[in-house]
Amino acid sequence: MTLAPHIPTPHSERTQVNDSAPSLVLTGGQVLTVDGDFTVTEGVAVRGRDIVAVGSDTEMRALAGPGTRLVELGGRTVLPGINDSHLHGAAYGMTKPPFALDVGHPAVGSIADIADAVGRAARTARPGDWIIGLGWDSGYLAECLADPRRFPHRRDLDAVAPDNPVCLTHFSSHLVWVNSAALRHCGIDAASVPPPGGVIDTDPDGRPTGILREAAQELVNAGLPSPTVDQRRQAIQGVVRELHSRGITSYTEPGLGPGGATSLFGGLSTDNWTAYADLAADGELQARVSVLLLPAPMGGSADDVRKGLAELRRPESADPRLLNAIGVKIFADGVPPNRTAWMNEPYADGGHGALCVHGDTPALRSEELREMIRVAHEAGFQLGVHVTGDRAIDEVVDAFVAANTAAPRPDARHYVIHGDFIGARSLARLAAHGYGVNMNPAIKWTISDLMDEVVGPERSAYQWPVRSAVEAGVTVCASSDAPITRPDWRQGVTAMLLRESKASGRQSGPEQCVSLAEALRSYTVNPARQDFAEGWKGSIEVGKVADLCVLDRPLLDRDPHTITDAEVDLTVFDGHVVHER
C-alpha cells in the first residue's frame, strides 16, 4: 500500500511552549500524526501531559535535556493513542476469569466442548451457584455445522449441570442459552410471554428450548447474581491493562444507567458508573472513557426514556478528560445474524425483522422510536442509536433530522451505532447534518461468510459500507464492540483495507475497501470528534495530550496482511509510559 504523505518543510512543525526540556522524546521513527494532512514526520516531544513539539529527528534531538528520556525508534511507527469508540469495558472485564467461562471460538469447537467446560465448572461450584459464560457462536460449533437444524438446547447443559443455573451469552450479546435450572430459577415456562422486542424459542410442545433472544434476555438477566462494585473495579482495571498492551488509550462505554437494569452479567449498570467514578476519583483510571447513558431497555418506550433521563441527571466525574457522560444510547432493532435487524427486503429464509421498541404494529413502533429520539435530543444529549437493518437505519436518521428541525442544535453529533446496511440516502442525510456512523470492521471479518446465507451474497458484500460512507462525507468511526470481538484495532484496520473473511479468506465487498489513512482516522481523530474532543486529543499535534502508541515496525508501504502481526512496543497515556514491551 502506498500513501503520498504530506512532508512538512523544515521547522514547520517545531514548536516549544517554553524553554524547559521535554520529559520524553521519541525520534528516528515514522510518526503518523493523523492531522488534517496526514503529515508523516520523524519525532515527537512530550513535556508533562502534553505534546510540545513534532518534527524532524534533528529538531527533536536538539530539544532533549539532561533529564529527558530519549527513545530511539529505529524506524518504528508512532500513532496517536488508539480510541476504541464502542467497547463495553465493564462487561468485557466480566467475561474474563475468574468472572466467566470463555465458550467462544477458538476456545471451543463444539456443543460437546461447551458442555465439558460447563461440567467442569459445575463440579467445583456449590449447588445453586450460577455458571456464566460468553462467546458461543453456532457458526463455529461442529454439531450445528453438520446439521443446520441443530441448535444449542437446554438439554445440552442439563446433562452436565442439573443443579446449577447456567447462562451462556451469544457472541453478539443478542441471545442467551440457558439450562432448565436457570429457566426454573427465573420462572420461565411454556406459559411465559416474552417482553416487547423479545423472543423465547420453544419446542413443538411449547416448552422453552433455553434460547432467549433480544429483550427476552432480561427475563434471565434479572435473576443473575450482581457483581460488587469492587469486582467491577477489578474487571475495569484488568481491561485497561489489556487495552494499554494494544495501544488503546480512549474508549466509549456504551450503555450505563437504569435502562441497563441488569448488565451483561447481572447487577445494576449504575454500579458500573460508580466503579468508573471511584477509579477516576482515586487516580486509578488510566484511560479516557466516554459514556453513553442507557435510559431505556431494549423494547422500551418514550416514557422509559423520560423516566430514565430524570433518574440519570447526567452524573459528573472528577475529571471529564478521563470520564465523561457524553450521550445517550437507544436500541432501535436487533442484529442481522439473528434475523432481528429490520430490513427492507426479506432475509434469505423469510421475514424482515422489526424495530425493538414499544408498539404493537410497525407504524406504532416507528412513532415510538421517533419520540424516544426527540425526547433525548431535546434533553441536550448526544444520541448513539444501535441500529443495523437498512429500514431501521432510515427511520433513525429521519428521526435525528426531525428532532433537530423541531429543536435545532447546531452540533449535536448524533450517530448511528453499527449501521450494517446503511444506504446512500441515509449516508447523505448524516453528512448534511454533521452526524456520524460507528462501524465494526472486525465483526465483518468474523461473520462475512455466515451473512451470505442470512441476507444473500449481494447484501452480505455491502455490509458495513465504509468507503461509501467516507465518500459521502460522513465521519466514520471504527470499533470492536468488545466483548463481541477482541479490542484489536489492528484486525479492524486490516479488515477495512482487505475485507477478507476470517473463515475462508474470501473477499466480501472489495469495492468498500479504504486507504490506510482513512482506516487510521477511524480509530483516532474521528472518534475524538465523536467525543467532542478533537481539539485536545486524537492526533499528534502540539498542544494535544500525550497519548501515543508505538508499533514495532514501520506501517507505511507494507502488505496489509502483516498489520495484525505488529506488536505494540510502547503506550504513552497522559504523558506517562503505561505499557512497555
Side-chain angles (χ1 to χ4, degrees):
M1 176 169 299
T2 301
L3 292 176
H6 168 75
I7 306 297
T9 57
H11 308 292
S12 66
E13 291 294 320
R14 179 175 174 177
T15 302
Q16 280 188 273
V17 176
N18 57 44
D19 294 332
S20 61
S23 50
L24 175 67
V25 168
L26 311 177
T27 194
Q30 189 182 86
V31 179
L32 309 186
T33 65
V34 200
D35 64 5
D37 295 317
F38 203 78
T39 304
V40 180
T41 187
E42 296 173 319
V44 55
V46 173
R47 184 168 57 249
R49 305 171 68 177
D50 302 317
I51 295 170
V52 294
V54 183
S56 71
D57 184 50
T58 301
E59 291 170 330
M60 295 303 101
R61 291 180 186 279
L63 297 177
T68 302
R69 179 182 178 186
L70 186 67
V71 176
E72 301 281 1
L73 294 168
R76 290 177 290 171
T77 297
V78 183
L79 295 168
I82 302 300
N83 188 334
D84 192 322
S85 51
H86 189 90
L87 184 158
H88 301 269
Y92 181 53
M94 297 303 295
T95 69
K96 308 254 182 203
F99 305 110
L101 301 176
D102 179 1
V103 292
H105 176 81
V108 299
S110 64
I111 291 174
D113 288 346
I114 294 174
D116 285 343
V118 170
R120 288 193 299 271
R123 287 193 289 274
T124 60
R126 296 171 301 179
D129 283 352
W130 280 86
I131 296 170
I132 294 167
L134 180 114
W136 65 274
D137 178 356
S138 59
Y140 289 97
L141 299 180
E143 297 89 343
C144 302
L145 292 171
D147 180 359
R149 297 168 298 178
R150 177 73 161 98
F151 204 69
H153 196 280
R154 66 177 189 277
R155 289 190 295 267
D156 299 312
L157 306 176
D158 291 347
V160 294
D163 301 318
N164 296 92
V166 179
C167 178
L168 307 179
T169 301
H170 190 256
F171 85 96
S172 70
S173 293
H174 283 260
L175 62 156
V176 294
W177 169 20
V178 301
N179 67 345
S180 295
L183 292 171
R184 288 194 301 270
H185 181 90
C186 298
I188 303 169
D189 57 25
S192 296
V193 177
V199 176
I200 301 172
D201 286 10
T202 57
D203 286 326
D205 63 2
R207 296 180 61 198
T209 67
I211 299 295
L212 292 88
R213 302 173 187 267
E214 306 298 352
Q217 296 176 95
E218 289 301 315
L219 299 176
V220 173
N221 288 342
L224 292 175
S226 176
T228 66
V229 171
D230 283 344
Q231 287 175 318
R232 295 170 193 272
R233 284 179 56 136
Q234 178 186 346
I236 292 165
Q237 287 177 305
V239 166
V240 170
R241 286 192 295 271
E242 178 183 340
L243 298 182
H244 287 165
S245 74
R246 299 178 186 274
I248 298 170
T249 55
S250 294
Y251 64 94
T252 294
E253 174 73 75
L256 305 184
T262 50
S263 67
L264 185 62
F265 293 109
L268 294 175
S269 289
T270 46
D271 287 349
N272 286 333
W273 173 267
T274 300
Y276 275 112
D278 287 351
L279 288 170
D282 294 343
E284 297 178 4
L285 183 60
Q286 298 295 301
R288 307 190 190 281
V289 184
S290 297
V291 173
L292 293 183
L293 303 167
L294 191 63
M298 184 180 291
S301 66
D303 284 342
D304 291 329
V305 174
R306 291 187 187 92
K307 182 175 181 291
L309 291 179
E311 293 177 14
L312 290 169
R313 296 187 183 89
R314 196 186 288 265
E316 296 182 358
S317 70
D319 184 350
R321 286 197 173 191
L322 290 179
L323 179 64
N324 192 9
I326 198 168
V328 164
K329 179 181 179 181
I330 289 173
F331 287 96
D333 67 351
V335 291
N338 297 340
R339 282 77 167 173
T340 51
W342 196 26
M343 305 290 288
N344 281 308
E345 299 299 323
Y347 290 96
D349 52 5
H352 291 264
L355 292 176
C356 62
V357 301
H358 181 74
D360 293 331
T361 67
L364 289 174
R365 287 192 286 270
S366 293
E367 184 178 335
E368 195 73 29
L369 176 64
R370 286 188 175 233
E371 182 67 4
M372 294 166 77
I373 289 172
R374 184 192 68 79
V375 168
H377 171 86
E378 291 187 359
F381 287 95
Q382 179 192 45
L383 271 157
V385 179
H386 168 111
V387 61
T388 61
D390 53 359
R391 187 170 181 182
I393 293 167
D394 289 345
E395 291 280 343
V396 167
V397 174
D398 288 350
F400 283 167
V401 175
N404 200 62
T405 299
R409 289 172 53 198
D411 194 24
R413 302 194 188 182
H414 302 324
Y415 62 100
V416 167
I417 297 172
H418 308 311
D420 296 38
F421 295 102
I422 190 167
R425 175 181 174 275
S426 283
L427 287 172
R429 301 202 88 190
L430 289 177
H433 292 272
Y435 301 147
V437 61
N438 194 299
M439 294 184 173
N440 312 109
I443 301 180
K444 172 67 178 175
W445 170 69
T446 303
I447 68 170
S448 60
D449 287 325
L450 164 68
M451 290 308 300
D452 282 6
E453 302 172 9
V454 176
V455 296
E458 184 176 347
R459 280 188 293 178
S460 175
Y462 180 77
Q463 190 174 18
W464 285 299
V466 182
R467 183 170 181 176
S468 293
V470 170
E471 291 179 348
V474 179
T475 300
V476 178
C477 297
S479 59
S480 65
D481 200 12
I484 308 307
T485 64
R486 293 180 181 178
D488 187 349
W489 61 273
R490 296 160 297 185
Q491 184 61 67
V493 166
T494 301
M496 297 172 85
L497 301 182
L498 297 172
R499 290 180 72 92
E500 291 179 349
S501 159
K502 176 182 179 180
S504 66
R506 177 184 59 86
Q507 273 198 309
S508 177
E511 66 279 0
Q512 291 296 339
C513 293
V514 296
S515 68
L516 177 63
E518 290 298 345
L520 291 176
R521 288 187 195 282
S522 72
Y523 280 100
T524 53
V525 72
N526 289 358
R529 181 186 181 276
Q530 179 181 290
D531 294 340
F532 294 86
E534 71 274 24
W536 58 270
K537 73 173 183 178
S539 59
I540 302 176
E541 298 182 81
V542 172
K544 292 195 173 184
V545 293
D547 296 350
L548 305 168
C549 167
V550 179
L551 299 179
D552 67 350
R553 66 196 68 190
L555 207 56
L556 300 180
D557 302 317
R558 296 188 72 89
D559 179 351
H561 293 91
T562 68
I563 293 175
T564 53
D565 298 328
E567 297 284 355
V568 175
D569 278 351
L570 196 75
T571 303
V572 178
F573 172 74
D574 218 25
H576 301 285
V577 174
V578 292
H579 166 75
E580 192 162 7
R581 191 168 71 97

